[in-house]
């Protein structure tokens, strides 16, 4: 080991860049530490398995040494096996090809669960790399009355040990100092805890276990199991020396909360109420701010129209950019509200309880509670949801979860739902507690869930082969959400949404404006001109295919463009209606849609039935290139994303077809 | 006796694993070794999985797995 270290010392004097990795058990606060050290804002939340890929950041000390710090997925042991754990283990063990050799490893351990943290730490020490141990969550340990003899721990392990409260930036300065010491080569590799090879099986097994083992013949027990036992036994001995627990353990606040939230009857009821309340609230709380933004945007359009010279540029700005991008920006409050609720759920620890409650139901459809968090995350966006499936141990479950995640209604569908519901679903209350528009929204979410259940069952029975899953999951303690982090995540979600509106949506809108404005035949009155434009021609070309779903050509154009990103549907309608109504005064998109008359039939283009048919299409279709790309990456083949795309398209078409035809038959027009 | 036989509030000590258990390594690495003291906290609302406490943290696992974790007689019962 010493030789390795010397070589590194030599290299360091030249490059002055040190590679460090942060490892530790899941949910012990690694990412919180990482963010505090680097100033970055990677996702932090209160459940095991938040970080599922390697993230890196930099910090520089006063001497100018650059530390390249990697935040890794959590793991219990270097021999762990699920994909996210393997990513971390491979980097630590130097098996990862693209990663530079590490100079130091920072092990984070939860001070309230030191034994398990030391288990991993002792393995890391044995790699021979200089190691720093951070004892995080010292605030919780303190509150619980746990006393840790840090000096004795330092002496035993022969590495720096730093007590910390990462979320309050306590211990961060000391950790930086330890890194500086490392750069000065003051940290040597730690002392291996146990000479594993010397422990024999008999030392670690209790007489009872030995007797069981004797029945099953001693040699059956593979060496690996015995080695784990031996390591834990050695660690438990140390832990007993350095930690003193409080005498009495009273029933904690945690258990009191769980008495309600995972109660036999109340638990599922509360879960249902919480989740449906979120969707209702996302709808109703955002109504007012949306109207403000909408008024601001129409006002801005009017202002530009009145103050600019008549011409192409003015039309492009007013009808293209402001109407199109503006139509999407209106939904900013909703996106932010949705992320606010999701973040609070994630950071409170409740999500893991939802997984705990739902495991039984998931077992019925051939999955496990481990799929719950990836699927719930997909309500915000399928991409992180699909990535989160890396934490699922069972490969069969993981694949099925990835393939059904796109059915969860993501935030990009929300603008389309809200636009349609706001314009065509009457705002009435029924049954005392249900607000029809919000209830409609809830039904759309439920439709996605039902279809995903159905698809998971089909996939599990006939398509994806493999072992039936198991379920082993840590339940984190409840924590009061850290508002600073929640605020940051909501802000980040809003920023991404606006940035996308500025990039993807703006460019598509500009292209669309040209297609919808030219060729410009001055013979026709304004409102007919758009029919003759390129966009109109394309729309009319596909109209026969979508007519049975109740869609006219403008929706058809929207359907085509929305395959770039779902919310482009809204900007497309915004642009098309603004060009069509160019000579009228600016009115909101909702009103324009409500007033639109089909020139052939003389009937409104949109009815509540068309709106529902369109929303059903959006629930079921996979109109998201990024989702398909991420599925390709995670499954390593094009077969799954291509199959999924067509499966979802067929479902969407049939779903809308049934809704519209059945609705028409029953007289809902 | 197995982990599956405990009632909420019971505590017992692990004395081994049944032979044909799949996730033994994983459970061992999470600290469920021979000699570990385990407290049975509760059943999930639909009866499965169960919630147990050991080493100061809570873990949930399914009954079919709990049935393969062998225990010595309960240390304390409620
Ligand atoms: N009380 C307390 N909570 C903390 C502390 N550090 C982090 N947390 C909280 O612990 C939870 C987990 O933090 P993360 O940083 O996401 O943990 P992680 O180790 O990166 O988790 P994974 O990526 O899932 O492995 C979050 O809710 C944090 O707010 C601390 O020092 N004290
Ligand atoms: Mg993390």
């Amino acid at each position: 080991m010493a030789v390795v270290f010397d070589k590194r010392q030599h290299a360091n004097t030249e490059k002055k860049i040190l590679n460090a990795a942060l490892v530790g058990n899941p949910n012990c606060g690694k990412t919180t530490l990482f963010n505090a050290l680097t100033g970055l804002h990677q996702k932090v939340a209160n459940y095991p398995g938040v970080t599922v890929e390697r993230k890196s950041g930099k910090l520089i000390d006063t001497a100018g040494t650059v530390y390249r710090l990697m935040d890794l997925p959590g793991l219990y042991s270097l021999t762990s096996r699920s994909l996210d754990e393997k990513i971390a283990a491979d980097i630590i063990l130097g098996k990862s090809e693209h990663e530079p050799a590490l100079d130091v490893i920072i092990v984070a351990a939860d001070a309230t669960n030191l034994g398990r943290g030391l288990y991993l730490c002792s393995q890391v020490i044995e790699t021979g790399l200089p190691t720093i141990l951070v004892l995080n969550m010292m605030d919780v340990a303190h509150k619980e009355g746990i006393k840790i003899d840090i000096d004795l721990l330092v002496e035993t392990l022969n590495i720096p040990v730093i007590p910390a409260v990462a979320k309050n930036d306590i211990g961060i300065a000391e950790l930086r100092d330890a890194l500086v010491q490392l750069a000065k080569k003051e940290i040597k590799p730690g002392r291996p805890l146990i000479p594993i090879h010397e422990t024999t099986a008999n030392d670690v097994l209790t007489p009872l276990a030995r007797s069981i083992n004797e029945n099953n013949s001693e040699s059956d027990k593979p060496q690996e199991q015995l080695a784990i036992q031996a390591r834990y036994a050695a660690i438990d001995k140390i832990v007993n020396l350095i930690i003193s627990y409080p005498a009495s353990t009273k029933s904690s606040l945690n258990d009191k909360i769980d008495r309600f939230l995972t109660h036999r009857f109340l638990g599922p009821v509360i879960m249902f109420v919480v989740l449906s309340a979120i969707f209702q609230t996302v709808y109703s709380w955002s109504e007012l701010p949306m109207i403000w933004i909408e008024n601001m945007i129409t006002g801005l359009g009017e202002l530009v129209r009145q103050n600019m010279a008549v011409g192409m540029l003015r039309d492009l700005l007013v009808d293209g950019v402001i109407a199109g991008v503006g139509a999407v920006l209106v939904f900013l409050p909703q996106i932010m509200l949705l992320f606010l609720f999701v973040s609070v759920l994630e950071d409170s620890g409740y999500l893991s309880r939802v997984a705990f409650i739902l495991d039984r139901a998931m077992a019925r459809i051939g999955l496990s509670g481990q799929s719950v968090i990836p699927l719930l995350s997909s309500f915000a966006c399928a991409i992180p949801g699909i990535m989160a499936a890396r934490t699922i141990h069972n490969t069969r479950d993981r694949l099925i979860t990835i393939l059904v995640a796109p059915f969860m209604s993501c935030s990009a569908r929300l603008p389309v739902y809200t636009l349609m519901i706001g314009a065509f679903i009457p705002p009435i209350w029924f049954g005392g507690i249900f607000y029809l528009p919000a209830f409609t929204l809830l039904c759309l979410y439920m439709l996605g869930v039902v279809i995903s259940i159905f698809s998971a069952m089909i996939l599990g029975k006939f398509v994806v082969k493999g072992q039936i899953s198991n379920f082993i999951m840590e339940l984190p303690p409840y924590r009061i959400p850290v508002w600073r982090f929640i605020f940051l995540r909501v802000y980040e979600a809003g920023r991404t949404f606006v940035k996308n509106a500025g990039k993807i949506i703006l460019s598509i809108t500009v292209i669309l404006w040209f297609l919808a404005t030219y060729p410009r035949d001055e013979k026709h009155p304004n409102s007919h001109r758009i029919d003759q434009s390129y966009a109109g021609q394309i729309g009319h070309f596909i109209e026969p295919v979508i007519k049975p779903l109740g869609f006219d050509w403008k929706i058809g154009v929207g359907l085509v463009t929305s395959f770039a990103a779902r919310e482009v549907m809204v900007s497309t309608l915004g642009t098309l209606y603004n060009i069509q109504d160019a000579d009228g005064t600016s009115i909101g998109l909702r009103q324009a849609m409500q007033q639109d008359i089909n020139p052939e039939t003389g009937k409104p283009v949109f009815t509540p039935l068309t709106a529902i048919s369109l929303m059903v299409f959006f629930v079921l279709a996979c109109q998201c290139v990024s989702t398909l790309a991420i599925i390709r990456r995670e499954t390593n083949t094009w077969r799954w994303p291509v199959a999924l795309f067509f499966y979802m398209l067929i479902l969407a078409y049939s779903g809308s077809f049934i809704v519209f035809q059945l609705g028409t038959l029953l007289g809902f027009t | 006796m197995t982990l599956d036989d405990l009632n909420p509030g019971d505590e017992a000590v692990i004395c081994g694993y049944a032979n044909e258990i799949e996730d033994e390594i994983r459970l061992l690495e999470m600290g469920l070794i021979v000699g570990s003291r385990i407290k049975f906290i509760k059943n999930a609302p639909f009866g499965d999985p169960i919630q147990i406490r050991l080493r100061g943290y809570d873990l949930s696992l399914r009954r079919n797995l709990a049935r393969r974790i062998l225990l010595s007689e309960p240390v304390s019962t409620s």
Side-chain angles (χ1 to χ4, degrees), chain A residues 254-267 353 356-357 475 478, chain B residues 3 6-10 39-53 58-61 63:
Chain A
N254 219 49
D255 291 347
K256 283 180 193 142
I257 300 174
D258 263 340
R259 217 164 282 161
F260 294 98
L261 297 189
T262 60
H263 182 269
R264 185 174 305 196
F265 305 114
L266 281 180
R353 269 68 186 184
F356 178 62
I357 295 173
L475 289 168
Y478 291 106
Chain B
L3 180 54
L6 295 188
N7 292 311
D10 289 355
K39 182 170 184 187
F40 190 102
I41 303 294
K42 61 158 54 171
N43 294 304
F46 302 122
D48 198 14
I50 61 170
Q51 176 180 359
I52 59 171
R53 182 165 302 159
D58 285 14
L59 188 69
S60 63
L61 43 86
R63 284 190 173 277

Side-chain angles (χ1 to χ4, degrees), chain A residues 25-32 34 42-45 47 49-53 71-74:
Chain A
N25 291 160
N27 209 40
C28 71
K30 298 176 296 300
T31 305
T32 315
F34 175 83
Q42 295 299 341
K43 180 174 169 187
V44 165
Y47 59 86
V50 179
T51 309
V52 291
E53 59 182 337
D71 182 26
L72 299 176

Side-chain angles (χ1 to χ4, degrees), chain A residues 104-168:
Chain A
V104 60
I105 298 184
I106 304 171
V107 177
D110 179 344
T112 62
N113 194 356
L114 189 57
R116 218 184 52 196
L118 282 182
Y119 180 87
L120 178 67
C121 185
S122 71
Q123 289 184 325
V124 169
I125 288 175
E126 281 160 34
T127 63
L129 289 165
T131 306
I132 300 172
L133 175 62
V134 178
L135 290 185
N136 196 30
M137 312 263 180
M138 285 303 280
D139 54 332
V140 188
H142 190 75
K143 211 178 280 164
E144 289 180 7
I146 299 171
K147 293 207 175 63
I148 303 175
D149 185 341
I150 306 242
D151 294 337
L152 190 55
L153 190 57
V154 171
E155 205 174 295
T156 316
L157 299 177
N158 197 27
I159 57 172
V161 177
I162 297 159
V165 184
K167 73 164 180 185
N168 296 338

Side-chain angles (χ1 to χ4, degrees), chain A residues 402-618:
Chain A
I402 288 174
L403 294 177
V404 303
F407 283 109
M408 303 292 137
S409 283
C410 62
S411 57
R413 283 158 165 126
L414 204 49
V416 181
Y417 295 166
T418 315
L419 176 68
M420 293 296 151
I421 290 176
F424 301 104
I425 305 295
I428 48 175
W429 288 85
F430 67 100
I433 46 167
F434 293 111
Y435 182 50
L436 187 59
F439 182 73
T440 310
L441 188 66
L442 183 63
C443 290
L444 294 170
Y445 279 99
M446 294 307 288
L447 175 67
V449 171
V450 169
I451 298 293
S452 74
I453 290 173
F454 163 81
S455 306
M457 287 166 84
I458 303 266
L459 282 169
K461 269 229 164 60
F462 304 110
V463 188
V464 186
K465 299 276 175 274
Q467 259 182 352
I468 296 296
S469 50
N470 227 319
F471 177 66
I472 303 173
M473 191 191 69
E474 201 179 331
L475 289 168
Y478 291 106
R479 290 191 221 282
I480 295 169
V482 183
W483 295 109
R484 194 162 35 106
F485 298 158
I486 304 258
F487 173 80
L488 269 170
R489 284 199 55 207
V490 171
Y491 171 79
E492 194 53 36
R495 212 179 61 105
T496 315
F497 184 73
V498 173
K499 217 172 73 187
N500 272 346
K503 282 203 318 222
I504 307 175
I505 296 171
L506 179 64
S507 37
I508 293 177
T509 303
V510 170
I511 297 170
L512 184 75
W513 180 83
F514 278 102
L515 290 179
T517 309
Y518 296 95
R520 201 165 200 159
D521 194 343
E522 301 293 342
K523 288 201 304 284
H524 293 283
N526 247 343
S527 55
H528 275 255
R529 238 181 248 156
I530 194 167
D531 271 359
Q532 316 299 325
S533 68
Y534 296 119
Q537 290 169 26
I538 297 169
H540 284 298
F541 178 73
I542 55 174
E543 200 168 18
V545 183
I546 55 172
K547 210 162 193 164
L549 314 183
F551 304 158
D552 85 328
W553 71 268
K554 285 193 247 22
I555 301 178
V557 173
L559 285 181
V560 173
T561 54
S562 64
F563 276 88
R566 291 182 174 96
E567 61 271 39
V568 173
M569 178 81 197
V570 173
S571 63
T572 300
L573 290 176
T575 302
L576 292 181
Y577 275 104
N578 235 52
I579 295 175
Q580 179 171 307
D581 301 329
D583 27 39
T585 49
S586 287
I587 46 171
L589 176 55
R590 288 188 217 186
Q591 260 177 304
M593 285 165 47
Q594 284 162 345
Q595 292 166 5
D596 192 19
I597 300 290
N598 185 333
E600 284 160 38
T601 58
K603 290 202 191 113
V605 168
F606 280 99
T607 62
L609 189 61
T610 358
I612 293 173
S613 168
L614 183 63
M615 290 189 287
V616 167
F617 190 93
F618 269 78

Side-chain angles (χ1 to χ4, degrees), chain A residues 259-298:
Chain A
R259 217 164 282 161
F260 294 98
L261 297 189
T262 60
H263 182 269
R264 185 174 305 196
F265 305 114
L266 281 180
V269 172
I270 293 175
M271 182 184 78
F272 185 76
V273 170
V274 166
L275 295 182
S276 40
I278 287 180
F279 298 127
Q280 299 238 353
T281 321
V282 162
Y283 188 87
S284 47
W285 283 10
S286 57
E287 269 186 322
L288 210 58
M290 278 175 60
I291 291 173
W292 296 336
I293 299 184
E294 195 169 19
N295 288 342
M296 266 161 49
I297 286 164
T298 38

